[in-house]
Amino acid sequence: MGKKTTHKFKAEVSQLLDILVHSLYTNKEIFLRELISNASDALEKARFKSQAEGAEDELAPEIRITCDADAKTLTVTDTGIGMTRDELMSNIGTIAHSGTAELAKLAEEGKESLDSLIGRFGVGFYSVYMVSDKVEVTTRSMAEGAKALTWTSDGRTDYKLQELDEDRPHGTEIKVHLKDDEASQFTNTAHIKQVVKKHSNFINFPIFVGDERVNTIQALWREPKFQIKPEQYAEFYKFLTFDPDDPFETLHTSVDAPVQFNALMFIPKRGDDPFGLGRENRGLDLYVRRVLIEKQNKDLLPEYLGFIKGVVDTEDLPLNISRETLQDNLLMRKISSTLVKQVLDHLAKMTKDDADRYAEFWRAHGELFKAGYMDFLNKDKFAGLVRFNSSALDDDTGLTSLADYISRAKEDQKEIYYAYGPSRQALGLSPHLEVFRRKHLEVLYLFEPIDEFVMDALREYEGYALVSAEHADMDKLDKFEDVEKAERPEALSDEQKTELDHLLKRIKDVLGDAVTEVKASTRLSESPVCLANPDGNVTSSMDKIMRVMSKDTSIPKKVLEINPDHPLIRNMLTILEKDENDPFIEQAARQLYESALLLEGYLTDPHALVGRVQDLLTKSSGWYVAAEK
């Protein structure tokens, strides 16, 4: 045995060790991640040295972890490059970067977790003292003539160095003497395997816990795409997500600029519930040189692409970068913008190559994807990918793009019309769409509240304005001929026109402040009345959404539009001519208004309406019986 010498830690090391030992941190398992990362670096250096010298290393590159419950020890051994005496003192006797005073301040304030601090200050090895009261490091360098050395310390004020006479293979062995309260946890091989799989599963060298290799799934994202078979992608996807199905789509990419990274992303066949637990179960796993930095990072992809599962691995980020720094990191933003572009381009290619397949994607993930209306940087790409049902389709499962709508638009039509409703059937009966049905003008059907926000954000597409059907400019619609000719009564005489003005005023008097105005409509052909927003900007459906958000339960005041050609309105005109105070006028006015409210979804108390219907049915049945005699 060589002479044993004692060396004091530098002042900042002692201060750091005191912080580690006396602070309470929950994620103590990261010490093992740090030791494995150091071992992996040593193995990479050994491989590089062997290749540079043209000599083949006799030792197989590997990392071994063994536990001894009786001795309360955990040992991590690698066959890497090892350390000389000077390297040992330099690497473990001092801290690579200054800043321990700042570290002490942050730790006391509790602003950051230890696992994020460690990487920032280059002190990964020292994390072992969270679980240990003594550490022995035995190492022999690959350098010619290097002697084996042992470094020993209790992590307080000093460390001991001793040169060994024994002939050892090159590499490093770190024996951790565990504290009593940590021994049971970190001598449990099942727990050790779990920690290795969580943090270090894709390290490039075999990791053995006992005699069992733990990291059996290779880091596919690092492999050339042309060498990987679909079943390998499927195996990796299932390992990552626990989804029993194969992935719907796979995106494997390697980027060199503006930042270097590899990514392997998957689109699942089914979507998570975007308004349930699935919203939190999103994000890509972020690795730095195969070491997991953050599980399900929420910043790499925006929420509307949250259905994407996968991993991103970069060389350019510092290992163990803190979460706070991650969020503000310029490289992260560059990676994010590149990933978003790649996903959107992949989806755009799918729309061109296989529309049916894209429709399958949309039905699984479209509801979440529509939240992309807030991504203004990618507004045009988003607009090309969004899908809706339409009056031009045969059922409520059909989908059309804005581009498809334009391809079917009439000559001189420069608007894309849309309407919101609870179902295709409801929209098929909407009074606001009668003019569109009459002229065979296509209307996009919106079934979800978010669709309104999508349209409001997009505003236009390829030079076509997105216009709500209820706000359509009738002058623009008039230039298109009626395809379906409705049977219309004779035009109103001048006397009847005067009487119509009288009727509109009478209905306004009956309804009072419940409506802002009563006027003749040019859009209606089948219904007697409809309600329209007075400002002409906010749609009825958007108004409803805003009222729900502000918890406003009042009934909005709208314009009541009357169809002068409807038989009921013509009958009311006849009745008014005979007796303007006939109670039927008031009864019909209230009934028409409340029926319109009911169609719009605003009628909260239907009792008056039901009573009126029953009274009218009773009277009309009596007239019907008398007429049949």
Side-chain angles (χ1 to χ4, degrees):
M1 284 282 187
K3 183 182 176 184
K4 183 183 289 186
T5 57
T6 301
H7 306 264
K8 285 200 172 293
F9 283 121
K10 296 247 176 150
E12 66 266 24
V13 179
S14 296
Q15 186 182 2
L16 167 70
L17 293 173
D18 186 63
I19 293 167
L20 294 177
V21 173
H22 294 101
S23 298
L24 295 176
Y25 297 99
T26 56
N27 194 17
K28 294 183 178 182
E29 66 189 33
I30 57 98
F31 85 90
L32 189 55
R33 177 189 71 184
E34 296 301 316
L35 296 185
I36 292 172
S37 294
N38 290 344
S40 176
D41 289 344
L43 288 164
E44 286 285 5
K45 289 174 182 175
R47 182 162 63 182
F48 181 79
K49 181 176 173 63
S50 296
Q51 290 173 346
E53 294 175 355
E56 188 172 338
D57 194 347
E58 295 178 0
L59 288 179
E62 64 180 31
I63 301 168
R64 287 192 177 271
I65 303 170
T66 55
C67 308
D68 187 332
D70 295 333
K72 298 179 183 176
T73 61
L74 179 147
T75 305
V76 179
T77 308
D78 67 67
T79 54
I81 197 167
M83 289 177 279
T84 62
R85 182 185 182 88
D86 289 344
E87 287 170 341
L88 195 57
M89 292 180 70
S90 174
N91 291 343
I92 304 184
T94 60
I95 295 179
H97 305 286
S98 61
T100 314
E102 182 187 348
L103 180 135
K105 182 180 174 212
L106 290 170
E108 285 170 12
E109 293 175 359
K111 283 185 178 177
E112 297 193 52
S113 63
L114 182 63
D115 55 329
S116 65
L117 288 170
I118 284 170
R120 288 180 58 186
F121 296 95
V123 295
F125 169 78
Y126 299 108
S127 63
V128 74
Y129 285 105
M130 290 189 294
V131 298
S132 170
D133 48 23
K134 179 185 175 184
V135 179
E136 296 175 63
V137 179
T138 304
T139 184
R140 188 174 81 80
S141 170
M142 285 180 80
E144 191 174 344
K147 295 274 190 177
L149 300 161
T150 294
W151 178 102
T152 310
S153 177
D154 59 6
R156 294 197 177 103
T157 57
D158 56 34
Y159 60 92
K160 295 177 175 58
L161 267 178
Q162 184 172 12
E163 194 175 282
L164 305 178
D165 295 332
E166 62 188 89
D167 186 23
R168 294 175 60 94
H170 65 78
T172 301
E173 173 189 287
I174 300 175
K175 182 177 284 190
V176 181
H177 294 264
L178 297 160
K179 296 175 183 177
D180 289 342
D181 55 348
E182 308 293 347
S184 62
Q185 183 180 8
F186 292 110
T187 56
N188 181 332
T189 55
H191 179 66
I192 295 298
K193 290 174 186 175
Q194 182 183 0
V195 173
V196 172
K197 285 184 176 180
K198 178 180 177 183
H199 295 288
S200 310
N201 195 70
F202 300 107
I203 291 291
N204 204 25
F205 302 98
I207 303 173
F208 294 90
V209 176
D211 294 324
E212 181 185 343
R213 180 171 178 178
V214 178
N215 58 336
T216 55
I217 304 290
Q218 67 184 120
L220 275 190
W221 63 83
R222 292 269 187 159
E223 303 300 320
K225 280 188 282 189
F226 63 86
Q227 293 181 4
I228 304 175
K229 298 176 181 177
E231 51 266 30
Q232 289 177 278
Y233 282 130
E235 179 191 21
F236 183 86
Y237 169 75
K238 291 171 183 177
F239 165 81
L240 187 71
T241 64
F242 304 105
D243 187 344
D245 292 329
D246 289 352
F248 181 71
E249 285 283 309
T250 300
L251 291 77
H252 187 177
T253 183
S254 180
V255 176
D256 293 321
V259 57
Q260 185 180 23
F261 68 90
N262 294 289
L264 182 53
M265 298 179 287
F266 302 96
I267 300 176
K269 287 182 179 176
R270 289 185 298 273
D272 294 319
D273 173 15
F275 301 106
L277 296 175
R279 296 192 76 173
E280 286 307 308
N281 184 30
R282 72 173 186 88
L284 301 177
D285 294 346
L286 176 62
Y287 288 79
V288 173
R289 298 183 290 281
R290 289 188 172 87
V291 177
L292 180 67
I293 299 306
E294 186 178 2
K295 189 79 175 169
Q296 292 187 315
N297 177 283
K298 303 290 189 290
D299 302 315
L300 287 165
L301 286 177
E303 189 170 340
Y304 77 97
L305 297 179
F307 53 85
I308 298 279
K309 313 293 182 185
V311 301
V312 173
D313 188 3
T314 178
E315 304 283 332
D316 295 336
L317 286 170
L319 197 61
N320 307 328
I321 183 171
S322 74
R323 284 180 177 81
E324 287 182 11
T325 311
L326 263 182
Q327 291 170 353
D328 299 326
N329 190 280
L330 179 61
L331 290 174
M332 283 287 289
R333 291 200 291 274
K334 287 181 178 178
I335 292 173
S336 175
S337 63
T338 305
L339 288 174
V340 171
K341 179 181 183 300
Q342 290 185 336
V343 171
L344 296 180
D345 287 349
H346 184 89
L347 293 174
K349 186 175 184 300
M350 197 194 306
T351 65
K352 294 182 175 68
D353 294 346
D354 192 339
D356 290 340
R357 185 165 178 79
Y358 184 76
E360 192 178 341
F361 155 79
W362 185 263
R363 292 185 185 101
H365 305 292
E367 188 174 351
L368 180 59
F369 185 84
K370 281 186 282 193
Y373 72 86
M374 293 183 287
D375 185 357
F376 296 108
L377 289 175
N378 293 291
K379 179 179 175 182
D380 292 340
K381 289 184 178 180
F382 171 81
L385 293 168
V386 75
R387 296 291 184 268
F388 301 98
N389 193 239
S390 162
S391 61
L393 304 175
D394 294 330
D395 56 47
D396 55 7
T397 62
L399 295 171
T400 187
S401 65
L402 298 178
D404 290 338
Y405 181 106
I406 291 173
S407 71
R408 295 187 292 263
K410 291 181 180 290
E411 192 176 348
D412 294 333
Q413 180 184 343
K414 295 303 290 180
E415 292 81 24
I416 297 174
Y417 295 105
Y418 65 88
Y420 174 84
S423 67
R424 186 177 176 86
Q425 290 73 24
L427 286 165
L429 297 171
S430 170
H432 293 290
L433 303 190
E434 288 179 7
V435 63
F436 294 91
R437 290 193 288 269
R438 200 166 67 236
K439 297 177 181 294
H440 283 195
L441 283 165
E442 183 175 355
V443 178
L444 295 177
Y445 287 169
L446 317 186
F447 298 138
E448 302 293 338
I450 193 173
D451 296 341
E452 282 272 7
F453 292 96
V454 171
M455 294 305 194
D456 195 50
L458 293 181
R459 298 296 176 97
E460 66 91 31
Y461 179 75
E462 300 289 344
Y464 284 70
L466 294 167
V467 179
S468 169
E470 66 180 280
H471 291 157
D473 185 338
M474 293 307 297
D475 289 338
K476 290 183 177 179
L477 295 183
D478 284 343
K479 66 185 177 184
F480 302 113
E481 288 187 14
D482 289 359
V483 179
E484 295 182 9
K485 302 290 185 182
E487 287 189 20
R488 292 180 177 274
E490 289 184 16
L492 292 172
S493 63
D494 291 341
E495 186 179 339
Q496 285 176 312
K497 287 178 182 176
T498 302
E499 208 60 48
L500 177 63
D501 292 337
H502 191 185
L503 177 63
L504 298 178
K505 182 179 182 304
R506 179 80 176 91
I507 294 173
K508 178 67 172 81
D509 291 342
V510 170
L511 299 178
D513 292 338
V515 293
T516 59
E517 182 185 359
V518 179
K519 67 178 185 179
S521 174
T522 55
R523 81 176 85 204
L524 297 174
S525 56
E526 301 161 26
S527 303
V529 298
C530 74
L531 289 168
N533 278 353
D535 58 12
N537 293 319
V538 180
T539 62
S540 301
S541 46
M542 181 62 83
D543 175 66
K544 224 172 294 178
I545 293 168
M546 303 308 291
R547 285 172 178 273
V548 169
M549 291 171 68
S550 61
K551 298 181 180 178
D552 182 356
T553 57
S554 64
I555 297 175
K557 295 178 181 179
K558 298 196 173 195
V559 175
L560 183 68
E561 293 190 7
I562 303 293
N563 177 7
D565 292 335
H566 195 276
L568 175 54
I569 304 302
R570 291 293 178 99
N571 288 339
M572 290 175 72
L573 280 174
T574 304
I575 293 169
L576 188 74
E577 277 184 77
K578 293 179 179 177
D579 182 2
E580 67 176 38
N581 295 315
D582 192 303
F584 180 81
I585 299 294
E586 180 175 344
Q587 193 177 29
R590 295 191 185 281
Q591 187 68 25
L592 288 170
Y593 169 65
E594 290 191 4
S595 297
L597 280 181
L598 185 63
L599 277 177
E600 295 279 335
Y602 287 113
L603 188 66
T604 54
D605 184 2
H607 290 87
L609 180 142
V610 171
R612 219 176 289 113
V613 167
Q614 291 172 347
D615 180 51
L616 287 169
L617 282 172
T618 302
K619 290 177 179 176
S620 62
S621 63
W623 300 327
Y624 183 79
V625 170
E628 286 292 299
K629 287 181 180 177

